[in-house]
Amino acid sequence: MAAHFGRLRKGATTTAVAAVAVAALSASQAPGVTTDDLGRQAAGAAQPSGDANTGGEGGGATGDSPYYTDLPPLKSPNPSPSASPTTGTTVSVGEAEAGIPATVLDAYKKAEAELRASKPGCNLPWQLLAAIGKVESGQARGGRVDASGTTYSPILGPKLDGNGFALIADTDNGAYDGDPAYDRAVGPMQFIPSTWEWAGRDGNGDGKKDPNNVYDAALAAGHYLCRFDRDLSVQSQMNAAILNYNNSTAYLNTVLSWLEYYRKGTHEVPDGTGTLPSNSSNSHPGASPSPTTPATPSTPSTPSTPSTPSTPSTPKPGSGGSTSPTPKPPAPSSPAPSPTPPTPTQTVDHLEDANTGKLTATAGSAFGAKVAVRAESKASKGVAKVRVRFTIIGDTDATFTGGESVATVVTGSAGTATAPALVAGEKAGDFTVRATVVGRVLGGLDYTATVTPRQADTLTRTSDTALTCVPGGEFADQVELKATYKGAVAGKVAATATLIKSADDATENDKGPYFKDADGKTIRTLTDLTTDADGVLKLPKLYADDATGTFLLRVNTTGGAVLTVELKVAAAAS
């Protein structure tokens, strides 16, 4: 049974938890530049009005879609009366609200466990996922999911067509939400398609990323909240994460209320028996509820009683017996509605480069230049307040500062948006940074970034002890080297070691000292060597065959450092 929604009156969310949340939020507000997928500030600044709808410029994981506004009951043994925000009537809600459907609860806890392993510094509590799941979809419509965690029917928010909601034109050709004209929030955690495209996760291991699967959606929500290296045990950072999800102070307060409620205790209930919310932030008349499921056939209505025919009017004296009604003056015509002015995003014609420097960096270090673009109109004027998405594409482990591969930045007064700093991973090679305008189908700008391997320019032995051995024996000392680059320690630098024929012939020797592989077989070339964090490289133990003489071991590193080491094999003195 689909929920029906009413207008949330001002003051309906005033609770002790909400007051604490607002105080914490006020302390944390700061002007931010980096935003989430649809332009909301990562610093956590709230909308002044506290409404979920922000003038048609949606934001966050949900596109600032409507959400359930029901508040948790007071924690007491008996049901607690509360006033309905729509009618003002007093209703009772009991501790059934503490029950979470079994599969949905399992999905939240599994997501917490995965984040504890992959992002331990985030400190994500599963109760936060439960709180968001409650206000976004009523815990997947009371737990109406199958054994794999997929909802029996899609949960869809209203069309984000700018009619009382954000204006987000279709970004997925209806693939996720079935709407080829406008985006709609999808699934138990209400992701909009453009966010799910990069934020989606496979939480149940079936090889798919399905926004309608509670395991996938919960894990995606956990990673989304943990972006920008947030520590959710810090209240201001938790506030920022929640506002990143849906940019509304009222939303923040509602989520925090449920978070505190669930932290005091929850219990598992069978799937499909969860308590359904009944009120929404959807405030304009005639809007479809959010979230919704495909409608079930309605029961045929009882035919209405035929109305009693009206009595003919009595003719007025002097009217000649006419029963014609007295003509009424025509109603005044309504003025034509004024056209809606275009949003800044709609006025963008193209992106131009804004003096981006050369994008090169050594593995493990930050890039010296940042990608910068300018959103321009047809007249080549900069357009402010436009969301520009920067996406890292290619086989690379490079990220933006904070460990993310996607960042959205709002253009400033000159129309310029600068991506966060790029940080190179350990994979060398080229990758692409693509800049696109969020909410418009326009050609983007691609930038090639290059990661060069870590380098060393000098190799030295850490000991000057002579390396000697008798035929058929083993060398007592292992070869240990230290790599530096421009005088500094060169850690994690790739190296190779080869027993060569001579100083002038660097081909592999076929006699003399050798290493052993894992199976004990003779090898005279070692690849895939890497110096440690201190630039030290310790080679495996060396052995000697029956050949005697002076032999050479040559070690090379990325960057051109070379060291040749002498190895002497001689019979023991009598």
Side-chain angles (χ1 to χ4, degrees), residues 461 463 465-468 474-480 540-542:
R461 281 191 62 197
S463 168
T465 304
L467 298 167
T468 61
E474 62 181 52
F475 287 80
D477 297 311
Q478 290 176 245
V479 178
E480 185 177 271
K541 184 169 287 191
L542 279 160

Side-chain angles (χ1 to χ4, degrees), residues 154-415:
I155 301 175
L156 300 174
K159 293 182 179 182
L160 297 175
D161 56 6
N163 183 23
F165 305 114
L167 174 59
I168 305 178
D170 175 66
T171 60
D172 66 330
N173 200 26
Y176 292 115
D177 56 14
D179 192 328
Y182 298 98
D183 273 354
R184 304 174 71 171
V186 181
M189 304 303 275
Q190 289 288 278
F191 280 93
I192 55 173
S194 59
T195 302
W196 183 262
E197 189 63 33
W198 59 266
R201 296 291 194 280
D202 177 14
N204 62 350
D206 64 356
K208 297 185 295 184
K209 299 175 183 178
D210 182 1
N212 292 299
N213 181 278
V214 70
Y215 287 98
D216 295 359
L219 184 58
H223 277 279
Y224 190 94
L225 294 164
C226 288
R227 299 170 74 210
F228 308 119
D229 284 341
R230 290 192 184 103
D231 179 357
L232 300 186
S233 65
V234 178
Q235 188 62 52
S236 62
Q237 295 190 37
M238 178 182 283
N239 293 346
I242 296 170
L243 286 167
N244 248 170
Y245 209 88
N246 190 316
N247 193 14
S248 160
T249 306
Y251 180 87
L252 169 69
N253 295 341
T254 306
V255 169
L256 290 177
S257 296
W258 282 106
L259 170 62
E260 290 306 308
Y261 181 73
Y262 286 142
R263 276 177 164 167
K264 292 176 182 176
T266 60
H267 59 273
E268 181 182 296
V269 298
D271 289 345
T273 65
T275 304
L276 294 177
S278 57
N279 300 293
S280 168
S281 62
N282 181 358
S283 59
H284 68 284
S288 45
S290 170
T292 64
T293 54
T296 49
S298 58
T299 306
S301 58
T302 306
S304 57
T305 306
S307 58
T308 306
S310 59
T311 305
S313 58
T314 305
K316 294 181 181 180
S319 66
S322 170
T323 58
S324 301
T326 305
K328 294 182 180 179
S333 59
S334 302
S338 57
T340 304
T343 64
T345 300
Q346 292 171 324
T347 66
V348 177
D349 179 71
H350 60 275
L351 289 176
E352 285 288 338
D353 177 59
N355 297 318
T356 299
K358 189 175 181 181
L359 299 172
T360 58
T362 302
S365 64
F367 283 72
K370 295 180 180 180
V371 177
V373 298
R374 188 169 185 257
E376 295 186 351
S377 65
K378 283 186 177 180
S380 296
K381 292 184 178 180
V383 183
K385 298 181 180 179
V386 172
R387 299 179 304 278
V388 176
R389 181 183 301 148
F390 299 94
T391 307
I392 294 174
I393 301 170
D395 183 18
T396 180
D397 53 356
T399 64
F400 293 114
T401 302
E404 301 297 328
S405 60
V406 177
T408 305
V409 179
V410 179
T411 58
S413 59

Side-chain angles (χ1 to χ4, degrees), residues 6-14 48-51 69 71 84-86 250 283:
R7 172 75 172 164
L8 178 66
R9 290 207 303 265
K10 267 190 174 178
T13 59
T14 304
S49 65
D51 290 333
T69 58
L71 291 173
S84 164
T86 53
S283 59

